[in-house]
Amino acid sequence: MSSEIIVKQKTIDLRKKHIGPSCKIFFSHDPIKIVRAKGQYMYDEKGLRYLDCINNVAHVGHCHPDVVKAGAQQMELLNTNARFLHDNLVLYAQRLQATLPDKLSVCYFVNSGSEANDLALRLAWQYTGHKDIITLEKPACFVCSAYHGHVSSLIDISPYKFHHRSDAEHNQSVHVAPSPDVYRGQYRADHPDPASAYADEVKDMIHGVHEKGGKIAAFIAESLQSCGGQVIPPMGYFQQVAQHVRKAGGIFIADEVQVGFGRVGTHFWAFQLQGEDFVPDIVTMGKPIGNGHPMSCVVTTKEVAESFFSSGMEYFNTFGGNPVSCAIGMAVLDVIVKEDLQGNALRVGRYLTNLLEKQKEKHPLVGDIRGRGLFAGMELVKDRLKLTPATAEAQAVIYQLKEQHILLSADGPHRNVLKFKPPMCFTEEDADLVVEKIDHILTELEHALGLKMHNALGEENKSSKRKLPTDENGHQCHSGLAHDTGSSRGFPQQTKRLRT
């Protein structure tokens, strides 16, 4: 069954004519036209099925019937703004809060991760009376990794975006701390206490801000860095950073837009990987919250919310918390429980990680495997001692997988990290398929490059000048990545599950 309205070339022509050129498209040399999707699969105009390994927005599976039904039924009854009383708003807020620590009890519903993070900054500025923000970068490279959104306030705090600006254009109240990357960063896995070392970098940065007359409003970080290349912070890092930031009068914002809602398997929220003794002051969420429906949320403490109210400025969002969005949000939570998708993320995620670890043992191009649950990364390098990024090789893997109807992406500052963040209904059979294909592709690449295991362990291979594809936008990339193996070592084990 096809839902194609016009032929593919006409779609391409109209996109070039009417859609802004900054709006990039996957596989720009030969883009895929997707006309429908179900579960973990997407279908093009010819009916060809693609295994989706990258879509963390369709969290419980593309077009899940329960989610579609909930939205359609509520749309038939009413959709209006949150200035009217409606049960969906308060019941959904109650359900969402039940997944979080008690301290995080007040919700603001908005429409995107960008809106959520923008509002989080406003809350921090109002509550603290301070202006300076600390965010994370990727050390030792000019391309940085943190990304929190596309509105103006978030471009300022997203090195992933603002590295394109000149120094003069950088917001002087934004300060960029090193990413807590124990694979490629300043303090690595062999360091006796990388968490404290990286947290001390933040402490020193706060001291520097104070010396210049600034005051810290907030530290903001993704609980696990996604655009940074699946970076898993060392245990204790967030606790120590929060201590330094709060001592300076600031608050801690955990960005769960990419990794929340059970994706990490052992916990419902990725910040909980750090331990029960760590609770952020604000949590932002988006993408998976509505399974593709545009909605998001900011959850904070009563104290922060009351401070925001005391400003005297009313906060109103036309579509945030509308009855349809809340019905969809509740349906997503229901499906996570009914289909045990958090448990599936744990089981299939560990299975996938084990398969990827075996590839590391076999292939010299594989430098590191890291992740939690169905959030995993495979970093490709040409030399395991020098950590020379295998950027072109990573792009070659992505393009060859696409030709075999598997959708995967690469990220990280060097765009050399293959990242897995599929719909949560992803299966062990799906994992077997994609890893088998990666195995074959890596074997061919290594043969063409003359790369053998002893080369990767210390002697950078220079025997081949074979030209490999650029990234999915047709650009040559630069930069690299970060950490852990996906096992549960060093992390608290499974916590309570979401319940209806």
Side-chain angles (χ1 to χ4, degrees):
M1 182 178 68
S2 173
S3 301
E4 185 178 37
I5 300 172
I6 54 179
V7 297
K8 180 177 177 179
Q9 188 56 53
K10 182 66 173 178
T11 304
I12 293 171
D13 293 342
L14 288 174
R15 182 179 175 113
K16 289 179 179 178
K17 182 177 180 180
H18 296 299
I19 306 302
S22 296
C23 301
K24 300 299 182 181
I25 189 169
F26 283 136
F27 310 109
S28 57
H29 298 310
D30 182 23
I32 303 171
K33 184 175 184 179
I34 297 296
V35 297
R36 66 186 181 94
K38 185 175 180 62
Q40 65 272 47
Y41 301 108
M42 305 179 81
Y43 299 82
D44 70 9
E45 80 284 4
K46 297 178 181 178
L48 293 175
R49 188 181 78 173
Y50 291 80
L51 175 62
D52 182 1
C53 300
I54 60 176
N55 209 321
N56 60 335
V57 177
H59 191 64
V60 301
H62 290 280
C63 305
H64 194 288
D66 291 7
V67 178
V68 173
K69 181 179 179 182
Q73 287 184 340
Q74 181 57 51
M75 198 175 293
E76 288 179 341
L77 292 174
L78 171 72
N79 199 22
T80 186
N81 66 62
R83 280 178 166 159
F84 295 97
L85 280 176
H86 197 279
D87 291 343
N88 283 8
L89 175 65
V90 294
L91 291 175
Y92 181 48
Q94 183 181 50
R95 287 278 304 279
L96 203 55
Q97 194 287 318
T99 69
L100 292 157
D102 292 341
K103 172 184 172 182
L104 295 164
S105 60
V106 182
C107 300
Y108 295 88
F109 291 103
V110 286
N111 307 292
S112 69
S114 293
E115 276 194 57
N117 283 327
D118 180 70
L119 178 56
L121 293 181
R122 289 179 59 189
L123 292 171
W125 288 325
Q126 174 63 31
Y127 178 71
T128 65
H130 302 166
K131 188 65 177 177
D132 291 72
I133 303 293
I134 298 176
T135 187
L136 293 177
E137 73 163 358
K138 190 76 184 79
C141 65
F142 77 89
V143 180
C144 301
S145 62
Y147 175 59
H148 298 285
H150 61 78
V151 299
S152 296
S153 65
L154 302 177
I155 296 296
D156 284 341
I157 66 163
S158 297
Y160 181 80
K161 293 289 188 181
F162 75 51
H163 76 270
H164 295 290
R165 295 178 173 182
S166 68
D167 290 340
E169 294 177 299
H170 289 174
N171 188 326
Q172 298 304 304
S173 64
V174 175
H175 313 279
V176 184
S179 169
D181 177 347
V182 301
Y183 177 67
R184 186 180 286 276
Q186 183 177 355
Y187 310 108
R188 301 184 180 180
D190 59 354
H191 190 281
D193 188 1
S196 295
Y198 278 118
D200 284 346
E201 293 284 339
V202 176
K203 181 181 179 181
D204 292 343
M205 180 167 286
I206 292 171
H207 180 70
V209 170
H210 288 172
E211 285 188 332
K212 294 180 180 179
K215 293 183 178 180
I216 301 299
F219 173 92
I220 183 170
E222 291 180 280
S223 299
L224 306 176
Q225 282 186 282
S226 181
C227 291
Q230 320 304 81
V231 177
I232 317 296
M235 271 293 288
Y237 171 69
F238 281 168
Q239 286 93 327
Q240 295 182 62
V241 167
Q243 182 179 1
H244 298 323
V245 169
R246 287 165 180 161
K247 185 177 180 180
I251 61 177
F252 193 109
I253 303 170
D255 180 342
E256 291 271 340
V257 170
Q258 295 262 16
V259 293
F261 292 88
R263 176 163 294 278
V264 298
T266 54
H267 302 77
F268 200 73
W269 302 105
F271 73 79
Q272 294 170 324
L273 290 168
Q274 291 278 311
E276 294 183 1
D277 60 333
F278 172 67
V279 180
D281 301 289
I282 298 175
V283 173
T284 60
M285 50 194 77
K287 294 186 188 301
I289 191 173
N291 209 54
H293 179 79
M295 58 185 293
S296 60
C297 186
V298 179
V299 185
T300 189
T301 65
K302 287 183 179 179
E303 293 78 11
V304 171
E306 288 170 359
S307 173
F308 194 51
F309 175 73
S310 71
S311 70
M313 182 184 299
E314 178 188 3
Y315 180 76
F316 173 66
N317 189 300
T318 302
F319 300 108
N322 69 74
V324 171
S325 293
C326 292
I328 288 171
M330 283 191 282
V332 170
L333 295 181
D334 288 340
V335 173
I336 293 172
V337 174
K338 183 174 75 172
E339 299 183 5
D340 189 25
L341 293 182
Q342 183 179 340
N344 189 67
L346 178 63
R347 293 185 296 272
V348 178
R350 284 179 173 170
Y351 183 80
L352 171 63
T353 299
N354 288 335
L355 292 178
L356 295 175
E357 286 285 0
K358 292 177 182 177
Q359 297 303 303
K360 181 182 176 182
E361 296 171 2
K362 180 179 180 181
H363 292 288
L365 274 171
V366 180
D368 191 39
I369 304 298
R370 53 184 172 267
R372 291 289 181 271
L374 284 174
F375 181 83
M378 170 188 274
E379 177 155 1
L380 301 188
V381 296
K382 295 179 181 179
D383 185 306
R384 290 189 182 179
L385 293 182
K386 298 178 181 178
L387 305 188
T388 310
T391 300
E393 289 76 14
Q395 304 307 317
V397 172
I398 290 168
Y399 271 89
Q400 290 188 44
L401 284 175
K402 177 242 187 183
E403 295 305 314
Q404 298 178 61
H405 306 133
I406 296 173
L407 303 180
L408 193 66
S409 64
D411 223 322
H414 303 287
R415 299 189 71 81
N416 67 320
V417 182
L418 305 179
K419 65 178 186 177
F420 298 80
K421 48 186 184 65
M424 297 272 279
C425 50
F426 199 74
T427 68
E428 291 184 357
E429 291 74 21
D430 296 327
D432 284 331
L433 175 63
V434 66
V435 175
E436 178 187 4
K437 299 295 187 184
I438 289 173
D439 182 14
H440 292 317
I441 295 169
L442 291 178
T443 299
E444 292 178 355
L445 286 172
E446 288 160 356
H447 177 73
L449 293 167
L451 186 62
K452 298 179 180 180
M453 189 62 80
H454 74 272
N455 297 118
L457 293 175
E459 179 183 338
E460 185 175 354
N461 184 277
K462 301 177 181 178
S463 64
S464 174
K465 300 295 184 181
R466 180 185 179 190
K467 188 175 181 180
L468 295 167
T470 53
D471 72 13
E472 63 263 33
N473 290 321
H475 304 304
Q476 191 66 37
C477 303
H478 310 75
S479 268
L481 219 51
H483 166 159
D484 201 80
T485 62
S487 69
S488 57
R489 77 169 181 269
F491 282 82
Q493 290 303 297
Q494 196 159 335
T495 57
K496 65 181 180 180
R497 296 285 181 81
L498 172 64
R499 301 188 186 282
T500 53

